Amino acid sequence: MNALSEGWAQMLRSMSGVTLPSDLLPTLQQDYLRDAAALWNQTAGTSAGAPAKPADRRFAGDDWSRNPASAFTAGMYLLNARTLLQLAEAVQADEKTRARIRFAVQQWIDAVSPSNYLALNPEAQRKAIETRGESIAQGLQHLWQDIRQGHMSQTDESLFEVGRNVATTEGAVVFENELIQLVEYKPLTTQVHERPLLIVPPCINKFYILDLQPQNSFVRHAVEQGHRVFMLSWVNADESLGERTWDDYIEDAAIRAIDEVRAITKQERINTLGFCIGGTILATALAVLAARGEKPAASMTLLTSFLDFSDTGVLDLFVDEAMVSMREAAIGQRGLLKGGELAATFSFLRPNDLVWNYVVGNYLKGETPPPFDLLYWNSDSTNLPGPMYCWYLRNTYLENNLVVPGKLTVCGEAVDLRKIGVPTFIYASREDHIVPWKSAYANTRVLSGPLQFVLGASGHIAGVINPPKPGKRSHWIGKSLPAQADDWLALATEHPGSWWPAWYAWLKPLSGKPIAAPRGYGDRSHKAIEPAPGRYVKQRA
């Protein structure tokens, strides 16, 4: 421990602006030596009682506790991890530096877990013996397959196909350009609401997160409620689109989709919904149109979306002037941000669940991961044009300019989000590590017009994709919007089950009178180009 703690302490002290309390190291060393001695005595059987099983699920199996060497290895690893995190927590520096140190130390701790290595994992060793080495051979095959496909398999991807058993809600592509396809879905009711619903999904992944299986498809549920639903499907950018900008994604994608839906449905005003960065794009587009004197939206729904980027949670660790400038120099004028790079970043926000879990299962034990539609979608990443991505990175995550009225000019217009001025439903997920719920709540201070804020349980994706029928999780609804998010939660009422019915009830009076459902797709100038989900969503990064 002396060498270990001294080494980390020396490394931390060598960082500019980073210091450790002078009395910390002796205290940590004393605690460490006491706990290490107790662990050794338990393992050697010289103390009363059997060693307790670690609470950590990586070491919860009987193979770890039955083997004294493995039990001691796991115990010492957890002790070392706890000590290193105490060192990281004690760093005296600005908060962002401290958070970066904690993150880096946690990444290193997770990577060196003995469960991640065949020589130290008794469960993987037992399986290798029982299968006479077949598990190791299978694991090597999985590793080679993942190297060839360019990403780690989190599910059995051979069991899924876009358009066959995911993204299966019936519809047709009724418009397309270089950046988007516009999908119209077939009504499932004899009458539909007069005002259509346009959904702007995130451009970082594919839209079918909102249309996975019939039983959990947000799209299908909206159609079943009598909404005439249109979905924007983003292109998976290639080198030919490497010069496209944020303005292009607003003018030629979001605004163009709004115009086409209005033209097809003959409605002056439509309902709109944006998810994640799709919400940021949608709000920007509506602000641009407001600056032009146009108000095409009857309502706006934002699902786990940033408008105010003052607190971006763990993602803030990756963003500073040096990082953004480096990106701008590399791809700011032309180039692509590869989808796999973004996917890897998000996976390492939860490395034990989304990285090392699969290293152990897929490679050490030779297991094929079980089929899971959400994880199949998670692996289906998209590329982004470099100029578009760099603009977004600088003006939102780094400088938070979007929230400042008139600070940004987009598509030739000064952007003021307050001018959108439509009824807005804001949804956040309580355990969201990508868009912290309090940051989503901050949108209530940015927008004008009637606002409804709803908080759901679970995370960024699972909280959103929570259909009513299983009755899972819960959600909170408040009657007022105090300045602080914690005050809102203290006054909010918890309701069991999905938040979707609350959204349907909110949207219904904004959707116009019931009219006869259309008998076909598009109109005379918008013929069906191809069946849903279209070919753009099938393009792999």
Side-chain angles (χ1 to χ4, degrees):
M1 167 57 192
N2 290 347
L4 178 69
S5 58
E6 287 287 3
W8 276 92
Q10 184 178 357
M11 182 201 76
L12 293 173
R13 292 191 186 106
S14 68
M15 298 176 65
S16 176
V18 173
T19 59
L20 287 168
S22 58
D23 60 343
L24 172 69
L25 203 55
T27 301
L28 278 183
Q29 288 174 333
Q30 290 174 8
D31 293 344
Y32 180 92
L33 292 172
R34 182 194 66 240
D35 293 344
L39 179 64
W40 172 257
N41 290 335
Q42 280 187 331
T43 305
T46 59
S47 63
K53 273 191 177 183
D56 193 306
R57 62 183 176 85
R58 292 172 293 180
F59 312 113
D62 291 338
D63 290 295
W64 289 95
S65 57
R66 278 198 299 255
N67 185 324
S70 296
F72 182 73
T73 300
M76 285 301 299
Y77 162 76
L78 293 173
L79 175 58
N80 288 332
R82 186 170 66 248
T83 304
L84 290 175
L85 286 174
Q86 287 174 325
L87 272 173
E89 288 289 345
V91 164
Q92 296 174 331
D94 63 90
E95 183 52 39
K96 188 163 185 174
T97 299
R98 293 179 70 241
R100 283 181 165 176
I101 290 171
R102 287 195 301 267
F103 181 82
V105 170
Q106 187 65 63
Q107 292 290 319
W108 185 83
I109 287 171
D110 293 341
V112 301
S113 168
S115 59
N116 298 337
Y117 302 92
L118 181 60
L120 299 175
N121 188 322
E123 294 175 328
Q125 294 168 6
R126 176 178 53 80
K127 188 161 188 179
I129 293 170
E130 290 176 349
T131 63
R132 298 186 178 184
E134 181 62 29
S135 62
I136 296 176
Q138 191 65 41
L140 290 172
Q141 290 181 14
H142 289 161
L143 175 61
W144 177 240
Q145 179 183 343
D146 287 353
I147 290 172
R148 292 177 63 187
Q149 70 182 9
H151 65 267
M152 181 182 294
S153 296
Q154 297 176 329
T155 185
D156 188 349
E157 298 180 18
S158 65
L159 299 180
F160 296 98
E161 181 183 347
V162 176
R164 180 177 63 85
N165 56 4
V166 290
T168 59
T169 300
E170 189 173 354
V173 175
V174 293
F175 171 81
E176 69 180 36
N177 62 20
E178 277 192 326
L179 293 180
I180 64 168
Q181 286 189 316
L182 184 64
V183 178
E184 179 181 3
Y185 290 98
K186 181 181 178 179
L188 296 175
T189 53
T190 56
Q191 290 187 315
V192 296
H193 294 290
E194 184 178 28
R195 286 198 181 111
L197 170 66
L198 170 64
I199 299 176
V200 181
C203 52
I204 292 173
N205 282 88
K206 307 292 183 65
F207 78 79
Y208 64 87
I209 185 58
L210 297 169
D211 186 29
L212 289 171
Q213 307 285 336
Q215 65 271 20
N216 64 0
S217 169
F218 184 90
V219 168
R220 184 177 180 86
H221 275 262
V223 173
E224 289 174 343
Q225 298 300 312
H227 293 285
R228 190 176 179 184
V229 179
F230 292 80
M231 174 72 74
L232 188 156
S233 174
W234 296 100
V235 72
N236 199 338
D238 59 18
E239 293 295 341
S240 68
L241 299 172
E243 295 181 352
R244 290 292 194 152
T245 64
W246 180 261
D247 280 20
D248 293 329
Y249 268 59
I250 301 302
E251 189 77 69
D252 297 338
I255 292 177
R256 187 61 184 271
I258 292 169
D259 290 342
E260 297 303 328
V261 171
R262 294 168 67 200
I264 291 169
T265 61
K266 310 299 187 291
Q267 292 292 313
E268 286 298 314
R269 305 186 75 199
I270 67 174
N271 291 317
T272 61
L273 181 152
F275 181 14
C276 190
I277 186 178
T280 311
I281 290 172
L282 172 62
T284 304
L286 293 178
V288 168
L289 291 171
R292 294 173 180 172
E294 301 178 43
K295 292 292 185 76
S299 73
M300 177 171 67
T301 297
L302 300 176
L303 306 181
T304 58
S305 297
F306 277 124
L307 297 181
D308 184 340
F309 287 74
S310 56
D311 178 10
T312 57
V314 69
L315 292 177
D316 182 60
L317 303 180
F318 302 97
V319 182
D320 58 18
E321 178 62 41
M323 176 268 191
V324 175
S325 296
M326 180 185 69
R327 288 290 191 185
E328 289 171 337
I331 58 174
Q333 298 301 313
R334 180 179 178 82
L336 293 176
L337 176 72
K338 296 295 186 178
E341 189 174 341
L342 274 178
T345 298
F346 287 122
S347 290
F348 274 98
L349 297 180
R350 294 168 52 202
N352 282 332
D353 292 330
L354 297 177
V355 179
W356 301 113
N357 176 51
Y358 297 102
V359 168
V360 174
N362 298 7
Y363 308 149
L364 302 192
K365 298 181 180 179
E367 298 169 346
T368 300
F372 190 8
D373 52 8
L374 193 150
L375 289 177
Y376 175 78
W377 166 84
N378 190 57
S379 69
D380 194 4
S381 57
T382 57
N383 303 325
L384 294 176
M388 174 268 184
Y389 171 72
C390 289
W391 188 100
Y392 173 66
L393 200 59
R394 174 168 290 281
N395 288 289
T396 58
Y397 280 92
L398 181 63
E399 298 180 358
N400 196 23
N401 292 328
L402 185 61
V403 78
V404 182
K407 179 69 178 292
L408 293 177
T409 298
V410 178
C411 303
E413 307 291 345
V415 174
D416 186 348
L417 297 174
R418 300 172 302 178
K419 293 183 177 179
I420 297 173
V422 300
T424 301
F425 185 101
I426 302 169
Y427 169 83
S429 292
R430 194 170 183 177
E431 287 84 41
D432 194 339
H433 62 289
I434 295 175
V435 181
W437 80 267
K438 293 180 183 179
S439 299
Y441 183 82
N443 295 341
T444 63
R445 307 270 71 84
V446 174
L447 299 169
S448 61
L451 305 177
Q452 173 72 67
F453 181 82
V454 173
L455 179 65
S458 197
H460 188 70
I461 299 299
V464 172
I465 310 304
N466 184 28
K469 193 170 183 180
K472 292 182 178 179
R473 306 185 183 98
S474 59
H475 62 282
W476 292 260
I477 299 177
K479 294 182 179 179
S480 62
L481 294 172
Q484 299 301 318
D486 286 330
D487 294 336
W488 177 89
L489 184 58
L491 297 171
T493 301
E494 184 175 2
H495 301 268
S498 171
W499 61 271
W500 293 10
W503 176 68
Y504 295 143
W506 175 87
L507 188 62
K508 186 175 181 179
L510 299 168
S511 300
K513 65 180 184 293
I515 60 174
R519 290 179 291 180
Y521 300 112
D523 61 8
R524 290 183 178 180
S525 58
H526 295 82
K527 302 296 184 182
I529 297 171
E530 60 183 341
R535 67 187 185 281
Y536 282 15
V537 74
K538 296 180 181 180
Q539 298 168 339
R540 302 285 292 191

